[in-house]
Amino acid sequence: MSTDEQILGRHDVDDLEAILTTVNTDVDEAIHAVRDNADAIFTWDYEKGARPALNKLYEKAKHSQWNGQTDLDWSQDVDQQQFAEMMADMQQMEFQTRGVDFTGTPFEKWDRAEWVELAHQVQNWSLSQFMHGEQGALLCTAKIVETVPWIDAKYYAATQVMDEARHVEVFAQYLDTKLDGHYPINAHLKLLLDDIIEDSRWDMTYLGMQIMVEGLALAAFGMAMQTTPDPLLKQLLRYVMSDEARHVAFGVLSLQEFYAGLTDAELLERQEFAFEAAVRMRDRFLQQEVWDRMGIDVRKALKLFDVPEEVKNQDPFQQLLFSKIVPNCKKLGLLDANDGWLRKRFDVLGVTQFEDWADTGEEYLEMDAVAQDRAAAS
């Protein structure tokens, strides 16, 4: 059993200095190569429907494909300034509620224009990380097609490859034509994607991408959809979420069968990987690249968001990002295996309260916005 320090590479899960020293050192490179250590697996068993739940998911995926160029109205104007002003006002209200004192901080002389610019940069950063994560999903799902031994899973994963290509396309188009460019990939997200791709075991690709990364993305997209006033982005996110719900369900339905046959030692390896992935995803939300671009020392900036020790890791936004991950980990048996090893770590992160929320194994049927819109149109 590994220690948290061996898993994370630092003694304390909340060690800010260790988190901030993890940086992306090749931001100017257009190509990033990762060693893929997996075997490509052929199967001569072509019996379609041997796994009915996966076959049902495959049929749903074929029916709910959409075209990012024709199903979204790109002629709509986007007022990023309006959104930035709204988010800046909300941030100021939060600071006032908490009684934050800016005296002696870099923000002491900031006026509203600078707070609006910060909100502007945060939106660019957030959508950029969504885009980079979707490319990670594109590569990982192509790897699943290669490595998973079941024909029903290969069929479904092939539809997800198309989904992920579409997601990268629409996020890149929105950033480049409606906003004003994008940020490089966050170092913590990059390391996580590298780890997922480098692992030779097909189920680790599922766990890292389908359960952890896609699970967090599904929750994050939902929050973004609720807060944006832009109808184009709102529709884009609705359709992406329709796909993402199927992707997470794909992980749940596939791994539930496989994990039922693993030993405690094998499950512990998956628990440790899930914990490391959760911490890496949480760390990226420090958005240090934004503070760097704003010319603010990230350590001084983050002091504004300091909270008492007794409520550390109780940020409602960060907690809700795990609302899809925790119930799915529970359904897979990862939460309570090995005397609740992962449960204890999720307790430290402050996210265990979501364990009884709906898992995504069937939830995807309720989130099919594409089918809903087509039915309404007809």
Side-chain angles (χ1 to χ4, degrees), residues 310-327:
E310 61 269 20
V311 293
K312 189 177 287 294
N313 293 320
Q314 297 301 308
D315 182 302
F317 172 75
Q318 287 195 6
Q319 287 180 331
L320 279 169
L321 291 173
F322 289 86
S323 61
K324 301 297 183 184
I325 291 174
V326 178

PDB file of all heavy atoms in Angstrom, residues 310-327:
ATOM      1  N   GLU A 310     -10.352  24.781   9.370  1.00  0.00           N
ATOM      2  CA  GLU A 310     -11.441  23.828   9.606  1.00  0.00           C
ATOM      3  C   GLU A 310     -12.397  23.695   8.421  1.00  0.00           C
ATOM      4  O   GLU A 310     -13.195  22.754   8.370  1.00  0.00           O
ATOM      5  CB  GLU A 310     -12.235  24.222  10.860  1.00  0.00           C
ATOM      6  CG  GLU A 310     -12.916  25.590  10.802  1.00  0.00           C
ATOM      7  CD  GLU A 310     -11.999  26.684  11.350  1.00  0.00           C
ATOM      8  OE1 GLU A 310     -10.778  26.460  11.412  1.00  0.00           O
ATOM      9  OE2 GLU A 310     -12.531  27.756  11.708  1.00  0.00           O
ATOM     10  N   VAL A 311     -12.342  24.645   7.466  1.00  0.00           N
ATOM     11  CA  VAL A 311     -13.222  24.517   6.298  1.00  0.00           C
ATOM     12  C   VAL A 311     -12.407  24.384   5.009  1.00  0.00           C
ATOM     13  O   VAL A 311     -12.916  24.596   3.926  1.00  0.00           O
ATOM     14  CB  VAL A 311     -14.195  25.708   6.176  1.00  0.00           C
ATOM     15  CG1 VAL A 311     -15.186  25.708   7.298  1.00  0.00           C
ATOM     16  CG2 VAL A 311     -13.449  27.037   6.094  1.00  0.00           C
ATOM     17  N   LYS A 312     -11.121  24.031   5.131  1.00  0.00           N
ATOM     18  CA  LYS A 312     -10.309  23.803   3.932  1.00  0.00           C
ATOM     19  C   LYS A 312     -10.931  22.673   3.111  1.00  0.00           C
ATOM     20  O   LYS A 312     -11.471  21.720   3.647  1.00  0.00           O
ATOM     21  CB  LYS A 312      -8.873  23.450   4.335  1.00  0.00           C
ATOM     22  CG  LYS A 312      -7.902  23.403   3.156  1.00  0.00           C
ATOM     23  CD  LYS A 312      -6.487  23.129   3.626  1.00  0.00           C
ATOM     24  CE  LYS A 312      -5.875  24.320   4.319  1.00  0.00           C
ATOM     25  NZ  LYS A 312      -5.656  25.460   3.418  1.00  0.00           N
ATOM     26  N   ASN A 313     -10.847  22.809   1.808  1.00  0.00           N
ATOM     27  CA  ASN A 313     -11.431  21.858   0.857  1.00  0.00           C
ATOM     28  C   ASN A 313     -12.958  21.823   0.920  1.00  0.00           C
ATOM     29  O   ASN A 313     -13.578  20.832   0.552  1.00  0.00           O
ATOM     30  CB  ASN A 313     -10.881  20.435   1.081  1.00  0.00           C
ATOM     31  CG  ASN A 313      -9.414  20.326   0.742  1.00  0.00           C
ATOM     32  OD1 ASN A 313      -8.958  20.900  -0.232  1.00  0.00           O
ATOM     33  ND2 ASN A 313      -8.668  19.602   1.561  1.00  0.00           N
ATOM     34  N   GLN A 314     -13.564  22.930   1.386  1.00  0.00           N
ATOM     35  CA  GLN A 314     -15.021  22.966   1.436  1.00  0.00           C
ATOM     36  C   GLN A 314     -15.599  23.952   0.418  1.00  0.00           C
ATOM     37  O   GLN A 314     -16.719  24.392   0.543  1.00  0.00           O
ATOM     38  CB  GLN A 314     -15.496  23.351   2.850  1.00  0.00           C
ATOM     39  CG  GLN A 314     -15.109  22.344   3.921  1.00  0.00           C
ATOM     40  CD  GLN A 314     -15.657  20.956   3.647  1.00  0.00           C
ATOM     41  OE1 GLN A 314     -16.843  20.799   3.407  1.00  0.00           O
ATOM     42  NE2 GLN A 314     -14.795  19.957   3.658  1.00  0.00           N
ATOM     43  N   ASP A 315     -14.809  24.316  -0.590  1.00  0.00           N
ATOM     44  CA  ASP A 315     -15.287  25.212  -1.637  1.00  0.00           C
ATOM     45  C   ASP A 315     -16.430  24.532  -2.388  1.00  0.00           C
ATOM     46  O   ASP A 315     -16.236  23.469  -2.990  1.00  0.00           O
ATOM     47  CB  ASP A 315     -14.130  25.527  -2.599  1.00  0.00           C
ATOM     48  CG  ASP A 315     -14.534  26.498  -3.696  1.00  0.00           C
ATOM     49  OD1 ASP A 315     -15.476  26.193  -4.426  1.00  0.00           O
ATOM     50  OD2 ASP A 315     -13.894  27.564  -3.803  1.00  0.00           O
ATOM     51  N   PRO A 316     -17.639  25.105  -2.384  1.00  0.00           N
ATOM     52  CA  PRO A 316     -18.785  24.436  -3.025  1.00  0.00           C
ATOM     53  C   PRO A 316     -18.576  24.178  -4.507  1.00  0.00           C
ATOM     54  O   PRO A 316     -19.007  23.141  -5.024  1.00  0.00           O
ATOM     55  CB  PRO A 316     -19.945  25.416  -2.792  1.00  0.00           C
ATOM     56  CG  PRO A 316     -19.525  26.250  -1.625  1.00  0.00           C
ATOM     57  CD  PRO A 316     -18.033  26.351  -1.717  1.00  0.00           C
ATOM     58  N   PHE A 317     -17.903  25.105  -5.203  1.00  0.00           N
ATOM     59  CA  PHE A 317     -17.654  24.910  -6.632  1.00  0.00           C
ATOM     60  C   PHE A 317     -16.780  23.685  -6.863  1.00  0.00           C
ATOM     61  O   PHE A 317     -17.100  22.810  -7.667  1.00  0.00           O
ATOM     62  CB  PHE A 317     -16.985  26.157  -7.220  1.00  0.00           C
ATOM     63  CG  PHE A 317     -16.528  25.979  -8.641  1.00  0.00           C
ATOM     64  CD1 PHE A 317     -17.434  25.986  -9.689  1.00  0.00           C
ATOM     65  CD2 PHE A 317     -15.187  25.799  -8.936  1.00  0.00           C
ATOM     66  CE1 PHE A 317     -17.022  25.821 -11.003  1.00  0.00           C
ATOM     67  CE2 PHE A 317     -14.753  25.627 -10.245  1.00  0.00           C
ATOM     68  CZ  PHE A 317     -15.678  25.644 -11.276  1.00  0.00           C
ATOM     69  N   GLN A 318     -15.661  23.607  -6.122  1.00  0.00           N
ATOM     70  CA  GLN A 318     -14.772  22.458  -6.300  1.00  0.00           C
ATOM     71  C   GLN A 318     -15.443  21.163  -5.867  1.00  0.00           C
ATOM     72  O   GLN A 318     -15.236  20.104  -6.473  1.00  0.00           O
ATOM     73  CB  GLN A 318     -13.475  22.667  -5.522  1.00  0.00           C
ATOM     74  CG  GLN A 318     -12.555  23.706  -6.141  1.00  0.00           C
ATOM     75  CD  GLN A 318     -11.141  23.641  -5.594  1.00  0.00           C
ATOM     76  OE1 GLN A 318     -10.805  22.743  -4.825  1.00  0.00           O
ATOM     77  NE2 GLN A 318     -10.320  24.592  -5.976  1.00  0.00           N
ATOM     78  N   GLN A 319     -16.242  21.229  -4.828  1.00  0.00           N
ATOM     79  CA  GLN A 319     -16.937  20.022  -4.388  1.00  0.00           C
ATOM     80  C   GLN A 319     -17.875  19.503  -5.477  1.00  0.00           C
ATOM     81  O   GLN A 319     -17.878  18.310  -5.792  1.00  0.00           O
ATOM     82  CB  GLN A 319     -17.737  20.314  -3.119  1.00  0.00           C
ATOM     83  CG  GLN A 319     -16.891  20.478  -1.867  1.00  0.00           C
ATOM     84  CD  GLN A 319     -17.749  20.752  -0.654  1.00  0.00           C
ATOM     85  OE1 GLN A 319     -18.828  21.328  -0.759  1.00  0.00           O
ATOM     86  NE2 GLN A 319     -17.275  20.344   0.494  1.00  0.00           N
ATOM     87  N   LEU A 320     -18.668  20.405  -6.055  1.00  0.00           N
ATOM     88  CA  LEU A 320     -19.648  19.978  -7.057  1.00  0.00           C
ATOM     89  C   LEU A 320     -18.990  19.373  -8.291  1.00  0.00           C
ATOM     90  O   LEU A 320     -19.609  18.567  -8.987  1.00  0.00           O
ATOM     91  CB  LEU A 320     -20.536  21.165  -7.461  1.00  0.00           C
ATOM     92  CG  LEU A 320     -21.685  21.473  -6.502  1.00  0.00           C
ATOM     93  CD1 LEU A 320     -22.327  22.815  -6.842  1.00  0.00           C
ATOM     94  CD2 LEU A 320     -22.739  20.364  -6.549  1.00  0.00           C
ATOM     95  N   LEU A 321     -17.754  19.745  -8.558  1.00  0.00           N
ATOM     96  CA  LEU A 321     -17.064  19.155  -9.692  1.00  0.00           C
ATOM     97  C   LEU A 321     -16.900  17.641  -9.538  1.00  0.00           C
ATOM     98  O   LEU A 321     -16.725  16.925 -10.522  1.00  0.00           O
ATOM     99  CB  LEU A 321     -15.683  19.805  -9.864  1.00  0.00           C
ATOM    100  CG  LEU A 321     -15.691  21.263 -10.333  1.00  0.00           C
ATOM    101  CD1 LEU A 321     -14.291  21.841 -10.287  1.00  0.00           C
ATOM    102  CD2 LEU A 321     -16.274  21.386 -11.732  1.00  0.00           C
ATOM    103  N   PHE A 322     -16.980  17.155  -8.296  1.00  0.00           N
ATOM    104  CA  PHE A 322     -16.815  15.726  -8.044  1.00  0.00           C
ATOM    105  C   PHE A 322     -18.167  15.008  -7.880  1.00  0.00           C
ATOM    106  O   PHE A 322     -18.196  13.841  -7.515  1.00  0.00           O
ATOM    107  CB  PHE A 322     -15.954  15.521  -6.798  1.00  0.00           C
ATOM    108  CG  PHE A 322     -14.506  15.873  -7.018  1.00  0.00           C
ATOM    109  CD1 PHE A 322     -14.064  17.164  -6.862  1.00  0.00           C
ATOM    110  CD2 PHE A 322     -13.594  14.900  -7.404  1.00  0.00           C
ATOM    111  CE1 PHE A 322     -12.731  17.505  -7.084  1.00  0.00           C
ATOM    112  CE2 PHE A 322     -12.268  15.216  -7.628  1.00  0.00           C
ATOM    113  CZ  PHE A 322     -11.830  16.524  -7.472  1.00  0.00           C
ATOM    114  N   SER A 323     -19.255  15.697  -8.183  1.00  0.00           N
ATOM    115  CA  SER A 323     -20.575  15.118  -7.944  1.00  0.00           C
ATOM    116  C   SER A 323     -20.886  13.945  -8.868  1.00  0.00           C
ATOM    117  O   SER A 323     -21.791  13.151  -8.569  1.00  0.00           O
ATOM    118  CB  SER A 323     -21.658  16.199  -8.084  1.00  0.00           C
ATOM    119  OG  SER A 323     -21.656  16.754  -9.392  1.00  0.00           O
ATOM    120  N   LYS A 324     -20.193  13.831  -9.988  1.00  0.00           N
ATOM    121  CA  LYS A 324     -20.370  12.672 -10.871  1.00  0.00           C
ATOM    122  C   LYS A 324     -19.340  11.588 -10.569  1.00  0.00           C
ATOM    123  O   LYS A 324     -19.615  10.392 -10.729  1.00  0.00           O
ATOM    124  CB  LYS A 324     -20.240  13.105 -12.334  1.00  0.00           C
ATOM    125  CG  LYS A 324     -21.233  14.161 -12.779  1.00  0.00           C
ATOM    126  CD  LYS A 324     -22.655  13.661 -12.700  1.00  0.00           C
ATOM    127  CE  LYS A 324     -23.630  14.705 -13.219  1.00  0.00           C
ATOM    128  NZ  LYS A 324     -25.048  14.263 -13.061  1.00  0.00           N
ATOM    129  N   ILE A 325     -18.155  12.008 -10.139  1.00  0.00           N
ATOM    130  CA  ILE A 325     -17.074  11.047  -9.918  1.00  0.00           C
ATOM    131  C   ILE A 325     -17.361  10.134  -8.728  1.00  0.00           C
ATOM    132  O   ILE A 325     -17.201   8.910  -8.815  1.00  0.00           O
ATOM    133  CB  ILE A 325     -15.739  11.801  -9.703  1.00  0.00           C
ATOM    134  CG1 ILE A 325     -15.296  12.457 -11.015  1.00  0.00           C
ATOM    135  CG2 ILE A 325     -14.666  10.862  -9.167  1.00  0.00           C
ATOM    136  CD1 ILE A 325     -14.074  13.332 -10.873  1.00  0.00           C
ATOM    137  N   VAL A 326     -17.773  10.709  -7.605  1.00  0.00           N
ATOM    138  CA  VAL A 326     -17.900   9.931  -6.367  1.00  0.00           C
ATOM    139  C   VAL A 326     -18.952   8.824  -6.481  1.00  0.00           C
ATOM    140  O   VAL A 326     -18.663   7.663  -6.153  1.00  0.00           O
ATOM    141  CB  VAL A 326     -18.177  10.858  -5.167  1.00  0.00           C
ATOM    142  CG1 VAL A 326     -18.350  10.043  -3.887  1.00  0.00           C
ATOM    143  CG2 VAL A 326     -17.032  11.865  -4.999  1.00  0.00           C
ATOM    144  N   PRO A 327     -20.183   9.106  -6.946  1.00  0.00           N
ATOM    145  CA  PRO A 327     -21.156   7.999  -7.042  1.00  0.00           C
ATOM    146  C   PRO A 327     -20.747   6.926  -8.042  1.00  0.00           C
ATOM    147  O   PRO A 327     -21.043   5.747  -7.847  1.00  0.00           O
ATOM    148  CB  PRO A 327     -22.458   8.696  -7.464  1.00  0.00           C
ATOM    149  CG  PRO A 327     -22.049  10.020  -8.005  1.00  0.00           C
ATOM    150  CD  PRO A 327     -20.804  10.407  -7.286  1.00  0.00           C
TER     151      PRO A 327
END
